[in-house]
């Protein structure tokens, strides 16, 4: 990803003149024509004396660079794309009387373009739909058997349609034609019994006319009664499969201009009414028709399509092409169940619309009026035969005045609205032999158009003045556009050297030492001397082009830090600066702290900046150091002078100059914050002054001090201390005696309880056996009595 980003930056730099690398000099153009092809910003200097001595100065460069190099303007070859308007009749608002020849709906009408490769030419085109424009409407009807009820509906169509269209135009003509399908298998019934009557044996409708492809019945006429008469004569026919041969009929109606009667100065509307889908190209191969349609008119003397059984159905591309050539708006009037199919076809055939036709065509008049209104409400540009090596881009500006880049269409227009289109034209190359070409731009369905003639700016004017065997080229070369093209075997800027002279000894004169490149790889060896190249980064110079003025050390991307000059790869620093890249200043004024010491005594001045050596010190002059041993002492002076007006800095000027930290007085100090240092000192009144010292992340020093020093009473009373100590000792002794007495009492009570228990057991043993008494037991009792009797004063009887 990083590599891709670098490539993008370099490419952008190459393509942007004046920024980064120079695309003109990096192209190594050897002739004026090659230079102009590199980039539209490149120019060529044809001046004979040009550039510095012993320097290969590129004649192909940016225009401003050539002027800086003292190339005279009359010798500079620099062309741009430009537009010339050849014919521009203003747009018409409406027809003038009954004359339509001078109605203009597109402006301008003719221009010429001179295109330089890579450079855009721009022009504008305006379109306005003129009011009350003539209309030619040709009604093309499907007369297959399923349309028999529709035929009944349109028998008086002419009168009604003329009445409605008369509200939109005062010059309306109407024509009529019909179609069925190719009269061949498998599209139609071909058995002998069906030749005269394809409906033979069909009980629902036993009589119909023979199958036909297309039949032109009535040329365009303003006599609408004739339309009614011809329609009333028609009868339906019958074909075999569901699709119809309507596309054959559409093509013939479009290309048979003379027989149909299309007028050049009118809108051409072709209404295609059907209730089924059409056959498309390659369907004819089912009947053995392998010949593609040739797009020509094939109406015979009877005005019937004579090639119906000879050629395939036309393709959508051919149909669209012929409709556009003859400026025909095609209106599909189809039943609802086939609407989506024909809607998709409108996207493939420019200038077509689709409307839903009722089953019996009773809405056909409203359908036509609606379709015509939709056609007049939009303008869409189309191009005819543009050259392959040019690209066109459009920007439409419709009635709201907002430019719409990439669009060549405006909709929702009213009659009389004017819309404009900005067109950009660019050629990518120069065609061979530099021929002149042309193309047209026109709104779909309009007769008016813009004719565009194209010429290419690929030749240099100086090339027409080429001099063969010129004395400038030692009479052995052709001088053209400031350079010599030497005859074979000769070389040099003026063809002054022969190739045989370039011996090893001569070549060594262009080499700094054995093993080094010729002219250090930065120039050409011509006639035993180095001619250095030019570079976008600077210049090469020296006997062997070994030096340059741009490969020295940089600091922050700046050559020699901007404080020196680059000479042959080394920085020559200006006064006051030292170092390999001249970034080290010898000045020390910026290292002097406010107290007059160098770096506050906590660092060294290096290259005009303090480098702090005391741990914890920072700041421009190392003036900040919360953890330094003398930090509290330094801030104490500021506390004394700012809060109490005392101390060694009590003088106002000294205090204000040296004590710039923020000092806040508080009731209670907070010492638990990170980086906070607690300082205290004893005042002259034997009080204690406390304050904290904090350095914030913003670099600001903040001192928080108590409002008043803390001052206590006299010293502690010695007698009270002695009494307290003695009392504490006595209290501890009494507590220990009480504890000892408690322990002895608890122990005696436990022993007495044990004695009572033993006595009870002895009485029980004597009472249990009165016949026998041990002598020992009596003695023991006396002994016990004597022993215990003394202690308890006759407790036993």
């Amino acid at each position: 990803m990083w590599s891709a980003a670098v490539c993008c930056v370099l490419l952008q730099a190459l393509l942007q003149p004046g920024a980064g690398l120079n695309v003109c000099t990096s192209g190594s153009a050897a002739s004026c024509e090659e230079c102009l092809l590199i980039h539209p910003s490149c120019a060529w200097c044809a001046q004979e004396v040009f550039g510095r001595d012993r320097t290969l100065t590129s004649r192909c460069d940016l225009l401003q660079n050539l002027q800086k190099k003292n190339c005279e303007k009359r010798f500079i070859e620099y062309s741009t794309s430009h537009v010339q308007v050849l014919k521009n009749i203003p747009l018409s608002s409406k027809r003038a009387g009954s004359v339509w020849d001078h109605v203009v709906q597109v402006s301008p009408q003719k221009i010429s373009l001179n295109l330089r490769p890579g450079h855009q030419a721009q022009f504008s085109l305006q379109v306005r739909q003129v009011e009350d424009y003539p209309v030619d409407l040709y009604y093309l009807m499907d007369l297959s058997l399923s349309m028999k009820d529709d035929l009944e509906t349109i028998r008086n169509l002419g009168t009604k349609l003329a009445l409605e269209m008369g509200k939109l135009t005062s010059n309306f003509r109407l024509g009529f034609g019909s179609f069925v399908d190719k009269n061949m298998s498998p599209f139609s019934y071909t058995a002998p019994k069906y030749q005269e009557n394809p409906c033979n044996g069909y009980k629902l409708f036993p009589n119909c006319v023979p199958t036909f492809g297309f039949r032109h019945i009535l040329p365009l006429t303003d006599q609408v009664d004739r339309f009614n008469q011809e329609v009333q004569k028609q009868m339906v026919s019958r074909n075999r499969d569901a699709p119809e041969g309507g596309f054959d009929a559409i093509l013939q109606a479009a290309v048979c201009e003379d027989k149909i009667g299309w007028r050049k100065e009118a809108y051409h509307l072709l209404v295609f009414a059907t209730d089924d889908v059409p056959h498309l190209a390659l369907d004819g191969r089912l009947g053995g028709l392998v010949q593609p349609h040739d797009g020509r008119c094939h109406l015979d003397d009877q005005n019937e399509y004579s090639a119906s059984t000879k050629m395939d159905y036309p393709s959508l591309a051919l149909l669209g092409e012929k409709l556009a050539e003859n400026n025909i708006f095609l209106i599909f009037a189809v039943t609802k169940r086939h609407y989506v199919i024909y809607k998709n076809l409108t996207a493939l055939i420019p200038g077509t619309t689709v409307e839903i036709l009722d089953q019996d065509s009773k809405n056909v008049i409203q359908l036509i009026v609606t379709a015509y209104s939709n056609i007049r409400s939009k303008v869409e540009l189309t191009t005819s035969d543009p050259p392959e090596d040019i690209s066109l881009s459009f920007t439409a500006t419709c009635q709201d005045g907002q430019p719409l880049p990439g669009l060549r269409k405006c909709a929702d227009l009213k009659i009389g609205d004017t819309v404009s289109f900005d067109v950009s034209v660019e050629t990518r190359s120069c065609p061979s032999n530099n021929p002149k070409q042309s193309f047209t731009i026109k709104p779909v369905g309009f007769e008016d158009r813009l004719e565009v003639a194209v010429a290419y700016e690929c030749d240099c004017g100086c090339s027409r003045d080429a001099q063969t065997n010129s004395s400038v080229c030692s009479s052995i070369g052709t001088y053209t556009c400031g350079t010599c093209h030497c005859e074979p075997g000769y070389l040099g800027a003026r063809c002054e050297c022969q190739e045989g002279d370039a011996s090893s000894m001569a070549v060594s004169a262009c080499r700094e030492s054995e093993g080094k490149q010729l002219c250090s790889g930065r120039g050409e060896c011509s006639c035993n001397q180095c001619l250095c190249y030019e570079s976008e980064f600077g210049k090469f110079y020296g006997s062997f082009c070994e030096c340059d003025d741009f490969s020295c050390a940089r600091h922050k991307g700046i050559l020699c830090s901007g404080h020196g000059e680059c000479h042959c790869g080394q920085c020559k620093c200006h006064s006051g600066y030292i170092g390999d890249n001249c970034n080290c200043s010898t000045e020390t004024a910026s290292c002097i702290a406010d107290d007059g010491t160098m770096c506050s005594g906590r660092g060294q001045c290096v290259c005009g900046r303090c480098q702090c050596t005391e741990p914890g010190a920072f700041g421009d002059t190392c003036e900040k150091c919360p953890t330094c041993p003398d930090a509290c002492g330094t801030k104490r002076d500021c506390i004394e002078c700012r809060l109490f007006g005392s101390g060694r800095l009590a003088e106002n000027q000294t205090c204000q100059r040296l004590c710039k930290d923020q000092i806040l007085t508080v009731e209670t100090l907070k010492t638990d914050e990170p980086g906070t240092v607690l300082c205290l000192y004893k005042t002259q009144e034997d009080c204690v002054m406390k304050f904290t010292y904090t350095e914030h992340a913003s670099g600001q020093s903040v001192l928080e001090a108590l409002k008043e020093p803390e001052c206590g009473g006299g010293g502690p009373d010695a007698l009270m201390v002695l009494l307290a100590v003695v009392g504490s000792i006595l209290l501890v002794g009494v507590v220990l005696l009480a504890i000892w007495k408690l322990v002895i009492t608890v122990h005696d009570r436990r022993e007495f309880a044990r004695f009572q228990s033993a006595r009870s057991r002895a009485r029980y043993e004597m009472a249990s056996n009165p016949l026998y008494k041990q002598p020992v037991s009596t003695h023991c009792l006396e002994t016990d009595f004597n022993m215990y009797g003394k202690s308890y004063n006759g407790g036993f009887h």
Side-chain angles (χ1 to χ4, degrees):
M1 183 179 296
W2 182 86
S3 300
V6 172
C7 292
C8 291
V9 171
L10 291 177
L11 180 60
Q12 184 179 14
L14 284 171
L15 295 179
Q16 291 183 350
L21 297 178
N22 189 329
V23 66
C24 303
T25 57
S26 61
S28 302
S31 66
C32 179
E33 286 74 14
E34 291 181 5
C35 176
L36 298 186
L37 284 174
I38 293 176
H39 193 272
S41 63
C42 297
W44 178 271
C45 180
Q47 187 171 292
E48 180 179 346
V49 179
F50 177 69
R52 300 187 300 270
D53 187 30
R54 297 188 63 186
T55 301
L56 289 175
T57 304
S58 176
R59 293 180 176 271
C60 184
D61 206 336
L62 301 175
L63 178 63
Q64 59 270 27
N65 291 349
L66 294 179
Q67 294 173 343
K68 292 178 181 179
K69 296 175 182 177
N70 299 321
C71 183
E72 297 182 22
K73 185 176 181 181
R74 61 192 178 100
F75 291 111
I76 295 178
E77 294 285 340
Y78 179 72
S79 60
T80 58
S81 298
H82 59 275
V83 181
Q84 183 179 3
V85 179
L86 304 178
K87 184 179 180 181
N88 187 14
I89 302 175
L91 296 172
S92 303
S93 58
K94 62 183 299 182
R95 71 184 179 95
S98 60
V99 179
W100 289 96
D101 294 340
H102 302 294
V103 172
V104 178
Q105 297 186 102
V106 175
S107 177
Q109 297 80 41
K110 184 180 292 186
I111 64 173
S112 66
L113 300 179
N114 287 70
L115 300 179
R116 177 176 174 178
H119 190 268
Q120 286 187 347
Q122 297 180 340
F123 60 90
S124 295
L125 173 69
Q126 287 77 39
V127 180
R128 177 189 297 163
Q129 301 231 36
V130 176
E131 299 179 19
D132 195 23
Y133 202 75
V135 177
D136 288 346
L137 189 150
Y138 191 81
Y139 195 87
L140 185 58
M141 184 176 181
D142 179 5
L143 284 186
S144 60
L145 187 58
S146 58
M147 293 286 287
K148 64 182 188 316
D149 53 344
D150 300 78
L151 183 60
E152 294 295 328
T153 303
I154 70 166
R155 291 193 186 277
N156 296 316
L157 174 66
T159 303
K160 298 178 181 179
L161 185 58
L163 182 62
E164 291 296 326
M165 292 299 294
K167 301 176 182 178
L168 304 175
T169 176
S170 61
N171 195 333
F172 176 69
R173 299 201 308 172
L174 188 61
F176 182 71
S178 61
F179 66 91
V180 183
D181 206 346
K182 296 182 183 295
N183 190 15
M184 59 185 301
S185 181
F187 312 113
S188 300
Y189 295 95
T190 57
K193 67 176 181 177
Y194 296 120
Q195 290 299 314
E196 296 298 327
N197 182 13
C199 298
N200 188 5
Y202 186 63
K203 295 180 179 180
L204 297 178
F205 198 84
N207 296 312
C208 57
V209 298
T211 306
F212 59 92
F214 165 66
R215 183 176 294 157
H216 170 50
I217 300 171
L218 177 67
L220 292 165
T221 178
D222 56 0
Q223 300 177 9
V224 295
D225 291 339
R226 288 190 58 195
F227 180 90
N228 296 337
Q229 295 170 5
E230 293 297 335
V231 171
Q232 291 174 3
K233 297 177 184 178
Q234 303 306 310
M235 293 183 62
V236 295
S237 182
R238 185 186 183 195
N239 61 323
R240 190 169 192 174
D241 58 353
E244 319 291 5
F247 279 8
D248 272 341
I250 292 175
L251 185 61
Q252 294 304 299
V255 299
C256 298
E257 182 179 0
D258 295 336
K259 293 197 174 186
I260 301 298
W262 298 113
R263 294 176 293 178
K264 290 185 177 180
E265 68 279 4
Y267 278 109
H268 301 161
L269 305 182
L270 178 57
V271 180
F272 179 78
T274 183
D275 64 347
D276 221 318
V277 296
H279 275 296
L280 303 176
L282 301 181
D283 284 357
R285 296 195 176 190
L286 296 173
L289 301 179
V290 296
Q291 180 181 351
H293 205 291
D294 60 6
R296 298 178 181 178
C297 178
H298 294 281
L299 292 183
D300 57 17
D301 295 338
Q302 304 299 320
N303 284 332
E304 288 198 11
Y305 179 38
S306 59
S308 178
T309 58
K310 298 177 182 178
M311 290 186 294
D312 193 7
Y313 298 97
S315 65
L316 292 176
L318 179 62
L319 205 60
E321 177 186 342
K322 295 304 177 182
L323 290 172
E325 284 182 5
N326 295 277
N327 307 313
I328 295 176
F329 290 103
L330 176 61
I331 303 172
F332 288 124
V334 300
T335 53
K336 185 175 182 179
R337 66 192 183 98
H338 298 302
Y339 175 81
V340 175
I341 296 176
Y342 283 91
K343 183 66 175 178
N344 293 334
L345 293 178
T346 61
L348 303 174
I349 307 175
T352 60
T353 59
V354 58
E355 299 290 342
I356 297 177
L357 181 70
D358 289 347
Q359 290 294 335
D360 56 358
S361 296
K362 63 182 179 182
N363 69 328
V364 66
I365 295 178
Q366 185 59 40
L367 180 151
I368 293 173
V369 172
T370 302
Y372 176 72
S373 299
N374 291 336
I375 290 171
R376 293 299 303 272
S377 68
K378 61 184 178 182
V379 172
E380 182 176 2
L381 297 185
T382 182
T383 57
S384 176
D385 300 325
E388 294 182 356
D389 59 337
I390 71 171
S391 60
L392 298 169
S393 60
F394 295 84
T395 298
T397 303
C398 302
Q399 67 275 17
D400 59 356
Q402 296 296 325
L404 303 172
L407 293 184
R408 58 172 75 186
K409 177 180 179 180
C410 286
D412 301 327
L413 303 177
K414 297 178 181 179
I415 302 300
D417 285 347
T418 302
V419 295
S420 64
F421 299 89
D422 294 327
V423 186
S424 297
V425 186
E426 181 179 351
T427 181
R428 296 178 290 274
S429 61
C430 287
S432 58
N433 300 325
N434 195 13
K436 292 185 178 181
Q437 304 185 39
S438 64
F439 64 97
T440 60
I441 301 176
K442 63 187 290 293
V444 175
F446 282 53
E447 178 66 25
D448 299 49
R449 65 193 64 202
L450 170 63
E451 298 179 2
V452 183
V454 180
Y456 297 88
E457 294 286 344
C458 296
D459 296 329
C460 296
C462 58
S463 298
R464 294 191 290 268
D465 300 327
Q467 303 173 13
T468 57
N469 298 324
S470 171
S471 59
V472 178
C473 303
S474 305
S475 301
I476 48 176
T478 301
Y479 179 74
T480 176
C481 295
T483 60
C484 287
H485 296 276
C486 304
E487 297 292 337
Y490 294 88
L491 48 83
R494 295 291 179 260
C495 305
E496 67 273 23
C497 301
Q498 286 185 292
E499 290 184 355
D501 292 341
S503 62
S504 60
M505 183 177 295
V507 169
S508 64
C510 296
R511 201 187 307 271
E512 188 174 6
S513 62
E514 190 66 28
K516 292 291 186 68
Q517 289 182 301
L518 287 175
C519 300
S520 305
R522 298 174 168 185
E524 293 181 359
C525 183
S526 178
C527 300
N528 305 333
Q529 64 178 353
C530 286
L531 299 180
C532 302
Y533 297 136
E534 284 191 334
S535 172
E536 276 304 300
F537 304 105
K539 67 177 181 179
F540 298 120
Y541 59 96
S543 301
F544 308 100
C545 305
E546 73 278 9
C547 293
D548 63 66
D549 60 356
F550 56 84
S551 62
C552 293
R554 297 172 181 265
H555 179 66
K556 295 183 179 180
I558 302 177
L559 189 67
C560 297
S561 305
H563 302 304
E565 304 294 335
C566 182
H567 293 284
C568 207
Q570 292 185 346
C571 287
K572 304 297 182 182
C573 301
H574 297 157
S575 176
Y577 292 92
I578 58 174
D580 294 338
N581 53 12
C582 302
N583 70 323
C584 187
S585 173
T586 58
E587 295 291 331
T588 60
S590 58
C591 296
I592 303 299
D594 292 337
D595 59 1
T597 61
M598 184 71 68
C599 297
S600 303
R602 298 168 180 159
Q604 299 176 348
C605 187
V606 179
C607 296
R609 300 187 65 179
C610 284
Q611 291 185 356
C612 304
T613 57
E614 184 76 20
F618 63 97
D620 292 339
T621 57
C622 305
E623 73 279 8
K624 299 178 180 181
C625 184
T627 59
C628 291
D630 60 340
C632 288
T634 302
K635 301 304 178 184
R636 168 188 172 176
D637 295 336
C638 292
I639 293 291
E640 288 181 337
C641 77
R642 290 277 296 275
L643 294 185
F644 307 109
S646 60
R648 68 181 186 88
L649 303 179
E651 295 182 8
N652 185 47
Q653 294 181 352
T654 305
C655 186
Q656 295 297 329
R657 180 173 59 85
L658 298 182
C659 299
K660 299 179 180 179
D661 299 334
Q662 183 182 8
I663 300 178
L664 304 175
T665 56
V666 296
E667 297 289 345
T668 305
L669 292 177
K670 298 180 181 179
T671 60
D672 55 348
E673 295 183 2
T676 299
V677 178
L678 177 63
C679 301
L680 52 88
Y681 65 91
K682 190 174 183 180
T683 64
Q684 295 178 354
E685 293 79 12
D686 291 333
C687 296
V688 177
M689 185 63 190
K690 296 182 180 180
F691 65 93
T692 58
Y693 172 30
T694 306
E695 290 287 349
H696 287 183
S698 61
Q700 183 182 20
S701 299
V702 178
L703 301 177
E704 291 187 357
L706 294 177
K707 290 183 177 182
E708 297 293 338
E710 294 180 352
C711 299
D717 191 348
L719 180 60
M720 294 299 296
V721 173
L722 178 61
L723 293 176
V725 173
V726 173
S728 298
I729 294 173
L730 291 176
L731 179 61
V732 172
V734 171
V735 171
L736 290 177
L737 287 174
I739 293 174
W740 177 81
K741 179 62 177 177
L742 179 62
V743 171
I744 293 299
T745 302
V746 172
H747 179 268
D748 287 346
R749 289 183 179 180
R750 286 180 178 177
E751 288 298 325
F752 180 73
R754 189 180 296 114
F755 167 75
Q756 290 285 12
S757 176
R759 179 182 174 189
S760 298
R761 286 196 302 271
R763 289 180 179 178
Y764 176 77
E765 290 175 357
M766 293 173 60
S768 62
N769 190 3
L771 299 179
Y772 174 75
K773 294 183 181 179
Q774 290 183 351
V776 178
S777 63
T778 301
H779 176 75
C780 291
L781 286 175
E782 290 182 354
T783 304
D784 291 339
F785 173 76
N786 293 330
M787 178 180 66
Y788 290 102
K790 293 180 180 180
S791 300
Y792 292 96
N793 298 318
F796 296 95
H797 298 283

